[in-house]
Amino acid sequence: MSELHDECGVVAIYHLSTGEESPLCPPQGREEVSRLVPRMLLDLQNRGQLSAGITSWSPKRKQLIDTHKEVGTVTEVFHLNHREKYNRLMDEYSGQAAIGHVRYATCGQDDRSYAQPFERHHIKKYKWFSFAFNGQIANYDELKNKLLCDNNTYLARETDTEIIMHFLCAALKESDNGSDLLPVCQKLGASFDGAYSLVFLNARGEMFVARDPLGIKPLCYAFDGSLFAAASESVALFNLGFTADAIKSVVPGQMIIVNKNGIRIEQFMESPRTSHCFFEWVYFANVASTLDGKSVYLARKRLGEELAHQEKVPLDKDSIVVPVPDTSKAAADGMAYALNIPCLEGLIRNRYSGRTFIEGGEYRKRKAETKYTPLLEVLEGKRIFLVEDSIVRSTTMRVLIDRIRNVGKAKEIHVRVACPPITGPCFYGIDMSTYKELFATPFFEKRGKQFGDWILDSEIEEEMSKDIGADSLRFLPVKSISKAIGIPALNLCQACINADYPTEWGCKLARIAKENYDHGVNGRTYE
């Protein structure tokens, strides 16, 4: 799963001007709660390591809102290993309100201008704003063409973030001097098809956070009467000091408007159904998070138990479970406990080997070889049950199997995947937009059935196993996902494993992607 990535993570924080100062404030007080943003972003680093940024608001400085963003990890961007530089940065961007962002993306990788938050200057304070989002606008092409039909319009970047910025500008222009942000968000919701968790801050010190009507991407918030905070995941709020009971999920289609005097919760769009991305529990989210009331750790543990329930390979004293570090650990523990065999760390991950996911092709493979070190003392002569979150492109898995067999000298390698095969692209914020890049696609494709009618059987698993060099390979069935998470399948987005895309444009892009695949066309399907 080191080859699969989500787009981003967002945070927001605001201390009211009225009432008592929150005990969760930094030592510098309520007017510098922006200092909490780097800490929050560290807890979301799993969602993106390409760039990070902050926009803060302070009525006491000339730059009412100001943005700092750079390419790099949170530690690099905010100089967390250099006290003097960090303090200077926090002094410069101190404020009683702020939003932040961590990013992973497939375009504009090393370009600072693609980093978020996006700030838009204007002489009118309500039109001077900054925002950040997690997700992907599926009808990007439609909205881009709508904007570009005016010959005086120009888009500087190929990104849906810029599309959102222009639609925010248009909605604010039509508003009554920005007197109410609810209609602004309603206009966005009426235009966008896709997934988005959005944080917004303007030069009047007004903020809102919003979640798409299907709740595809997660968003949590907490409020102690003085301090409001929001983040993509609950762990960022819990580690600030909010109690678990105080942390709530933003309801799909809901926005929370915040200003210096208080907060207001509004439903900006009706939510016909929820469609939470199941991969949040399988892989993306921090294992310490709780999303929409469901523990990520417990979901992964139950996925491992589901693997154990379908195990048919004979067990003996040489049988051990080995997780692929790090996010497979909970599933591996669950499987091993249910089978009553040891779970040992036969692979050690080098956490300082670099961000291999931003590299491509053969270089990614060579980096993967140095990222995981097999332990000969653990693996030699053993029947290994290698537990992984998912197999998407198979690059990393092939390297691991080769290393475990030839360096670790394992007797057998049985790959167990705590997820069904990924057989379809995603258009809601995961970097897999074509059929061609997916490992499982050709094994089903040659059966002659349409995506959605593909059925996993032992024959397909055997073919896959031989292809990657394992002794056997087993995936979980689709039905195991909702059972493990504890959310009905109808309320989960599982489009990449069952072809049920929850939006109109998701269905449309899936058809285009399949046509492109059938005709040998490569690249993103919506360009």
Side-chain angles (χ1 to χ4, degrees):
M1 285 292 286
S2 61
E3 58 196 38
L4 183 65
H5 298 276
D6 190 46
E7 295 286 350
C8 312
V10 296
V11 302
I13 196 156
Y14 202 124
H15 199 294
L16 307 187
S17 297
T18 57
E20 296 183 358
E21 184 172 288
S22 170
L24 305 184
C25 280
Q28 293 80 3
R30 71 173 71 198
E31 294 181 354
E32 297 195 30
V33 296
S34 53
R35 290 176 176 270
L36 300 176
V37 167
R39 185 198 306 178
M40 297 172 73
L41 292 178
L42 274 176
D43 286 323
L44 301 182
Q45 188 75 90
N46 53 292
R47 304 188 71 83
Q49 301 175 44
L50 178 60
S51 67
I54 182 176
T55 297
S56 64
W57 170 75
S58 175
K60 296 185 176 182
R61 66 181 183 224
K62 188 172 183 180
Q63 288 290 325
L64 295 174
I65 61 172
D66 205 2
T67 302
H68 170 75
K69 58 182 181 179
E70 292 292 346
V71 171
T73 64
V74 173
T75 297
E76 292 166 341
V77 170
F78 293 98
H79 308 297
L80 299 186
N81 290 332
H82 195 296
R83 184 182 297 273
E84 185 178 339
K85 289 183 178 180
Y86 166 76
N87 284 330
R88 282 203 306 266
L89 189 67
M90 291 297 97
D91 287 342
E92 182 179 355
Y93 292 94
S94 64
Q96 91 180 63
I99 59 174
H101 189 265
V102 289
R103 175 177 180 262
Y104 168 77
T106 55
C107 63
Q109 293 181 348
D110 298 320
D111 188 341
R112 177 186 176 276
S113 70
Y114 281 84
Q116 297 184 45
F118 267 31
E119 182 181 342
R120 192 253 193 177
H121 283 262
H122 200 277
I123 193 171
K124 299 288 187 181
K125 287 196 286 187
Y126 76 96
K127 291 184 179 181
W128 180 4
F129 66 86
S130 184
F131 76 98
F133 96 111
N134 166 218
Q136 184 174 320
I137 305 304
N139 61 332
Y140 167 83
D141 265 350
E142 177 188 52
L143 299 180
K144 180 178 72 171
N145 293 335
K146 184 176 180 180
L147 289 171
L148 294 179
C149 66
D150 177 358
N151 290 331
N152 293 318
T153 302
Y154 178 75
L155 295 175
R157 306 168 190 86
E158 284 289 330
T159 169
D160 43 10
T161 311
E162 188 164 6
I163 295 290
I164 294 174
M165 182 179 70
H166 287 292
F167 273 81
L168 274 168
C169 291
L172 287 167
K173 183 178 180 180
E174 295 173 9
S175 68
D176 183 16
N177 292 323
S179 59
D180 188 359
L181 292 173
L182 174 59
V184 173
C185 210
Q186 287 172 330
K187 291 181 184 298
L188 298 183
S191 301
F192 296 162
D193 178 305
Y196 52 92
S197 289
L198 183 68
V199 294
F200 170 97
L201 180 64
N202 69 19
R204 292 203 302 211
E206 297 163 334
M207 170 186 287
F208 75 75
V209 303
R211 190 179 186 190
D212 72 72
L214 294 177
I216 298 175
K217 295 298 178 184
L219 187 62
C220 308
Y221 76 98
F223 182 55
D224 67 2
S226 300
L227 184 68
F228 170 85
S232 291
E233 297 185 35
S234 67
V235 65
L237 306 180
F238 186 79
N239 286 342
L240 278 186
F242 288 102
T243 64
D245 290 341
I247 301 170
K248 301 176 175 63
S249 291
V250 177
V251 174
Q254 191 178 81
M255 69 183 299
I256 304 175
I257 302 170
V258 191
N259 60 36
K260 59 186 178 181
N261 298 316
I263 74 170
R264 179 174 131 227
I265 300 176
E266 297 280 1
Q267 194 75 22
F268 72 93
M269 290 285 288
E270 291 300 318
S271 180
R273 58 174 278 203
T274 62
S275 195
H276 308 307
C277 173
F278 82 96
F279 253 105
E280 292 290 344
W281 287 273
V282 170
Y283 172 71
F284 289 132
N286 188 310
V287 73
S289 286
T290 297
L291 307 178
D292 294 293
K294 304 300 179 182
S295 164
V296 174
Y297 173 81
L298 291 180
R300 291 180 188 170
K301 172 179 170 289
R302 287 190 288 263
L303 289 169
E305 292 167 350
E306 289 287 305
L307 284 173
H309 294 157
Q310 68 173 25
E311 190 53 63
K312 298 178 181 178
V313 172
L315 305 178
D316 58 21
K317 62 181 179 59
D318 291 328
S319 300
I320 64 172
V321 173
V322 174
V324 176
D326 290 310
T327 52
S328 301
K329 184 66 167 61
D333 283 343
M335 180 181 178
Y337 186 82
L339 293 176
N340 196 28
I341 61 175
C343 182
L344 302 178
E345 294 192 50
L347 290 169
I348 303 300
R349 182 184 177 191
N350 179 2
R351 290 171 175 79
Y352 307 100
S353 63
R355 301 190 297 275
T356 61
F357 59 82
I358 65 173
E359 312 292 352
E362 189 64 25
Y363 186 69
R364 175 188 284 173
K365 178 181 177 182
R366 292 198 301 270
K367 292 285 283 187
E369 290 175 347
T370 62
K371 191 172 184 178
Y372 300 98
T373 302
L375 296 184
L376 176 66
E377 297 82 356
V378 174
L379 302 172
E380 187 174 11
K382 299 295 185 181
R383 174 179 287 126
I384 307 297
F385 291 90
L386 184 64
V387 177
E388 177 62 300
D389 304 288
S390 180
I391 298 178
V392 181
R393 300 180 181 93
S394 80
T395 306
T396 300
M397 180 53 67
R398 294 172 190 273
V399 171
L400 290 179
I401 292 172
D402 180 70
R403 299 271 286 168
I404 291 171
R405 196 180 299 281
N406 296 313
V407 178
K409 301 187 184 304
K411 179 172 63 175
E412 297 175 10
I413 304 173
H414 303 276
V415 177
R416 298 297 178 258
V417 187
C419 177
I422 305 301
T423 49
C426 177
F427 309 105
Y428 303 117
I430 304 175
D431 67 329
M432 48 181 197
S433 60
T434 67
Y435 283 91
K436 181 178 175 59
E437 64 195 285
L438 303 177
F439 164 70
T441 298
F443 296 95
F444 289 93
E445 178 73 9
K446 64 185 181 182
R447 262 67 180 178
K449 294 183 179 179
Q450 294 295 314
F451 177 38
D453 296 325
W454 291 347
I455 299 174
L456 181 66
D457 56 36
S458 58
E459 183 181 341
I460 292 178
E461 286 180 325
E462 185 176 353
E463 290 178 11
M464 291 178 172
S465 176
K466 290 179 180 178
D467 188 77
I468 62 175
D471 291 282
S472 72
L473 171 65
R474 295 287 182 273
F475 290 90
L476 280 180
V478 173
K479 64 181 180 181
S480 294
I481 297 299
S482 60
K483 180 180 178 182
I485 295 172
I487 294 177
L490 180 65
N491 300 121
L492 292 172
C493 178
Q494 302 180 97
C496 60
I497 60 175
N498 69 1
D500 184 13
Y501 291 88
T503 71
E504 177 186 353
W505 271 86
C507 295
K508 181 175 181 179
L509 293 177
R511 289 194 298 271
I512 296 172
K514 188 60 170 60
E515 291 170 3
N516 287 344
Y517 177 71
D518 290 343
H519 292 89
V521 178
N522 299 325
R524 290 175 66 185
T525 60
Y526 44 89
E527 290 183 348

